Amino acid sequence: MLSWAALFFIVALVAAVFGFGGIAGAAAGIAKILFVIFLVLFALSLIGSVMSGRRPPIP
């Protein structure tokens, strides 16, 4: 999920350099949404891991 957000951020930067304002704005908006979703899922995973009390397996 974070890689998709980074990809859309890079697309937004490239589009902004070439002057495509609408595309850059849309790609930046998608990157922001994906980043927020990633943060929420990470926080939920972290809370779930702490609440379960189990340690991760050691490889």
Side-chain angles (χ1 to χ4, degrees):
M1 181 81 60
L2 187 58
S3 62
W4 282 98
L7 176 72
F8 277 105
F9 178 70
I10 291 170
V11 169
L13 288 178
V14 171
V17 167
F18 290 118
F20 300 112
I23 295 172
I30 292 171
K32 286 179 188 176
I33 291 170
L34 288 174
F35 185 70
V36 168
I37 291 172
F38 166 77
L39 285 178
V40 168
L41 291 175
F42 174 72
L44 290 175
S45 174
L46 189 64
I47 291 170
S49 175
V50 169
M51 296 299 278
S52 69
R54 294 184 298 177
R55 293 186 184 267
I58 299 173

